[in-house]
Amino acid sequence: MVSPPPGAAAAAAARLCFGLCPRPLMGSQGHPGPPGNGGPGEGEGGEARKLQEGRVARGKRRKAKGKGKAGAGQGGRGSGAEGKPGLQKAKEAAGLGAEAGARAGPGEEGERGGNVEEGARRIVREDEGSAGAGREARGRGDGKEEEWKVRPGRREDARPGRAQGRGAQAWGCIAGPGAAGVAVAAAAEEEAAAREPAGRPAAGPALLRLPEELLLLICSYLDMRALGRLAQVCRWLRRFTSCDLLWRRIARASLNSGFTRLGTDLMASVPVKERVKVSQNWRLGRCREGILLKWRCSQMPWMQLEGDSLYISQANFILAYQFRPDGASLNRRPLGVFAGHDEDVCHFVLANSHIISAGGDGKIGVHKIHSTFTVKYSAHEQEVNCVDCRGGIIVSGSRDRTAKVWPLASGRLGQCLHTIQTEDRVWSIAISPVLSGQLMMHLGSDFPPGAGVLDVMYESPSTLLSCGYDTYVRYWDLRASVRKCVMEWEEPHDSTLYCLQTDGNHLLATGSSYYGVVRLWDRRQRACLHAFPLTSTPLSSPVYCLRFTTKHLYAALSYNLHVLDFQNP
């Protein structure tokens, strides 16, 4: 082996001591020992030589450990062996097997150590490759950093808390962002889990492991409150308890949920659970009042609803408005205006894409909704108070004490098919769904004088509702009796009832003659459920017409069109 010049060995030894120990190596007399072939330094005595050999051995061990830990710090999740690629390459080039030496105990490394010149040569070569080794270690560490973020609980072989020098700085550069990365990764996992469809929990109570058919049967016995609590257990149960089958029974017993008495679903496109939620606002009387339209002079308006459109009469016109998506407001510009009467429109209905109107001028008007086609013809000697249309047949009632039947066919408009003489003025008309076309019976027998019927409507071919001047709402069942109603509800303030509306099941709404009072009734009870006065004393007005959906109620008064919003109270 060719030894390097003494100056180079001394410089390397000095460099070694500067990097790993706080002071230079001293001889027995306190002076630096010159390099030699026999050991780390040849001082003036053998004890000094042994002392220097031990110091050099300890310095090597520290150097090896420092390099390994620095590599571990730069390498992120790498183990001790993975974190020392630079040191390992340098020592393999010198024939020392640094990786085996790092794993061996201090005794083995001391035995393998050579003289100072060989150690200095190894350190010089090691320092020359340290920059490249460090870069390689950082490159490997970058590849491991993401893994460290995802699984922060894994224990590292190279312990970052004890790294020194550049190794500790390298670990600190990664540990800072990595801690934030753990939180970011956790938040991303939660967000992804929220977007995924809720699956049945793998573990939990035995109830969750039952077949869905059996679980549906069990939950069908729960009431609304119990189903709501069950939906708060987990996402899967929340989805499961939103099934329409579980809420149909509850909806049929609720007010204005879109189900008729026979169980027909009139709003199949809306989830049943959502309708039941809004139904509770009807039951409790929770709503928000607003005004949709105002008029400058007093009117006697009538209105009809069809889809997202509202048709309302004002003086001798009928105007069509479109609802905004919330259902509680209107587009101010009308979709259409239908005219033709010389006096006020008293009543109108929608049938077969036509508007059939009755006017104070004694005429009937026929308007096509989607065109400008309008026909009017004289029908009665006095004002026409009411009109109805079903199956191509028009029936009108007048103040002249007659009711007449007319065809809707375009070629026969204005041709009276039949005239019915009555004993008093005709205020309301409704055509039976069976379309018999003949007088079947008279309803009631003990009415007091002036107990006129102002509104009547069929629920089925054999059941109908009526209200009027005698302040009563009556429910008739033609199969039971035609002489006496099967149920009746009295207006508590002795006011005339101008109009009524029903959901076909349990809810009944009426409009009174004083203070614009709208009353809600549960037909399973005798007493009024809720009352909503829509006008004050100076502007007292009857409720001439009212209509409602499952979310809103609309009431037409002398000066305003009011809305009660039960969806967003």
Side-chain angles (χ1 to χ4, degrees):
M1 179 182 295
V2 178
S3 299
R15 186 175 182 180
L16 172 64
C17 295
F18 181 80
L20 300 179
C21 59
R23 60 183 182 274
L25 298 177
M26 299 296 179
S28 60
Q29 302 297 327
H31 301 284
N37 297 327
E42 294 186 7
E44 297 179 2
E47 294 178 358
R49 184 181 299 109
K50 293 180 180 180
L51 179 62
Q52 284 186 336
E53 289 178 357
R55 289 176 178 174
V56 170
R58 288 194 298 271
K60 291 179 180 180
R61 289 195 297 271
R62 291 175 183 172
K63 181 67 176 179
K65 291 182 180 179
K67 288 289 185 178
K69 293 176 180 178
Q74 296 170 357
R77 289 190 62 84
S79 63
E82 294 172 349
K84 300 183 288 187
L87 180 59
Q88 180 177 352
K89 287 186 177 182
K91 290 194 175 182
E92 284 177 355
L96 296 177
E99 182 177 0
R103 295 176 181 173
E108 293 183 20
E109 189 169 350
E111 294 175 0
R112 293 178 184 178
N115 54 26
V116 172
E117 294 179 0
E118 293 175 352
R121 189 180 300 112
R122 289 192 296 269
I123 296 303
V124 169
R125 294 175 180 174
E126 175 186 335
D127 290 339
E128 291 175 353
S130 60
R135 287 193 296 269
E136 184 177 353
R138 284 194 296 272
R140 295 185 181 181
D142 293 340
K144 299 289 184 177
E145 181 178 355
E146 184 64 27
E147 182 184 0
W148 180 82
K149 291 180 181 179
V150 176
R151 295 182 295 176
R154 178 177 173 182
R155 184 174 181 177
E156 308 297 339
D157 294 334
R159 295 158 62 182
R162 299 182 62 182
Q164 300 177 0
R166 203 180 77 185
Q169 295 175 0
W171 182 271
C173 292
I174 294 176
V182 174
V184 173
E189 290 178 359
E190 292 179 2
E191 184 179 358
R195 289 195 300 264
E196 293 177 357
R200 180 179 291 209
L207 180 68
L208 301 181
R209 296 191 293 272
L210 293 176
E212 289 194 9
E213 295 79 5
L214 183 56
L215 192 57
L216 275 173
L217 178 61
I218 295 174
C219 292
S220 65
Y221 293 95
L222 300 180
D223 59 7
M224 177 178 57
R225 186 180 298 272
L227 282 176
R229 290 177 177 174
L230 188 60
Q232 298 176 0
V233 174
C234 63
R235 286 181 298 167
W236 185 85
L237 278 177
R238 181 176 183 179
R239 179 191 62 81
F240 182 81
T241 54
S242 298
C243 177
D244 284 354
L245 292 176
L246 294 177
W247 292 92
R248 286 181 66 93
R249 175 183 56 85
I250 300 173
R252 292 185 61 179
S254 302
L255 295 177
N256 197 21
S257 61
F259 285 88
T260 65
R261 186 179 296 272
L262 299 178
T264 304
D265 190 355
L266 303 178
M267 301 182 63
S269 61
V270 181
V272 181
K273 181 179 178 180
E274 299 300 322
R275 285 183 270 166
V276 172
K277 288 182 181 179
V278 179
S279 173
Q280 301 311 303
N281 294 332
W282 290 86
R283 181 179 65 86
L284 300 174
R286 296 185 300 209
C287 64
R288 177 168 53 90
E289 181 183 345
I291 296 178
L292 295 181
L293 296 172
K294 294 183 179 181
W295 302 285
R296 295 181 178 179
C297 56
S298 178
Q299 307 281 343
M300 296 180 63
W302 192 259
M303 65 177 171
Q304 299 287 353
L305 300 179
E306 185 177 73
D308 61 347
S309 300
L310 168 73
Y311 296 84
I312 187 165
S313 63
Q314 298 180 23
N316 59 335
F317 298 96
I318 299 175
L319 290 86
Y321 292 92
Q322 185 176 23
F323 284 109
R324 291 175 180 169
D326 59 357
S329 58
L330 294 172
N331 292 327
R332 292 301 179 182
R333 179 174 296 180
L335 293 175
V337 178
F338 305 93
H341 290 280
D342 299 327
E343 296 186 19
D344 290 354
V345 176
C346 299
H347 197 281
F348 70 92
V349 294
L350 305 178
N352 301 329
S353 300
H354 291 79
I355 299 176
I356 317 300
S357 60
D361 54 1
K363 298 179 180 179
I364 293 177
V366 179
H367 318 270
K368 282 192 175 181
I369 295 178
H370 303 293
S371 71
T372 58
F373 174 81
T374 298
V375 174
K376 65 176 182 178
Y377 52 87
S378 297
H380 294 270
E381 297 178 358
Q382 298 184 23
E383 62 187 47
V384 184
N385 293 325
C386 52
V387 67
D388 196 9
C389 181
R390 186 188 294 267
I393 298 296
I394 301 173
V395 178
S396 60
S398 172
R399 194 182 183 90
D400 63 3
R401 301 187 179 187
T402 62
K404 295 184 178 182
V405 181
W406 314 83
L408 183 59
S410 58
R412 303 179 61 189
L413 287 175
Q415 298 180 11
C416 181
L417 300 179
H418 186 64
T419 301
I420 304 172
Q421 295 290 334
T422 65
E423 300 177 357
D424 202 347
R425 294 168 290 183
V426 180
W427 292 107
S428 180
I429 274 184
I431 299 178
S432 170
V434 298
L435 295 174
S436 62
Q438 58 183 343
L439 178 64
M440 299 176 61
M441 63 194 73
H442 291 276
L443 298 179
S445 58
D446 299 328
F447 293 126
V453 176
L454 297 181
D455 200 4
V456 61
M457 63 178 301
Y458 274 93
E459 277 195 324
S460 70
S462 57
T463 59
L464 67 155
L465 289 158
S466 65
C467 68
Y469 283 113
D470 63 350
T471 74
Y472 277 91
V473 178
R474 290 183 171 87
Y475 180 62
W476 305 85
D477 191 337
L478 305 182
R479 298 165 297 183
S481 172
V482 298
R483 308 285 296 177
K484 187 174 179 60
C485 64
V486 295
M487 186 172 288
E488 60 184 15
W489 300 269
E490 183 180 6
E491 215 283 334
H493 291 169
D494 199 30
S495 299
T496 299
L497 298 177
Y498 273 65
C499 54
L500 61 85
Q501 186 73 17
T502 178
D503 66 344
N505 196 2
H506 301 301
L507 181 66
L508 180 66
T510 59
S512 304
S513 60
Y514 294 119
Y515 309 116
V517 176
V518 174
R519 296 188 182 275
L520 299 182
W521 310 76
D522 188 340
R523 293 166 61 174
R524 295 165 291 189
Q525 306 173 8
R526 287 280 186 178
C528 171
L529 193 61
H530 298 289
F532 304 94
L534 302 181
T535 62
S536 57
T537 303
L539 298 176
S540 179
S541 165
V543 179
Y544 290 107
C545 183
L546 62 83
R547 296 287 184 267
F548 60 75
T549 65
T550 57
K551 300 177 181 178
H552 305 90
L553 184 145
Y554 308 95
L557 280 67
S558 298
Y559 293 93
N560 304 310
L561 174 62
H562 293 258
V563 59
L564 300 179
D565 185 356
F566 289 88
Q567 182 182 17
N568 301 301

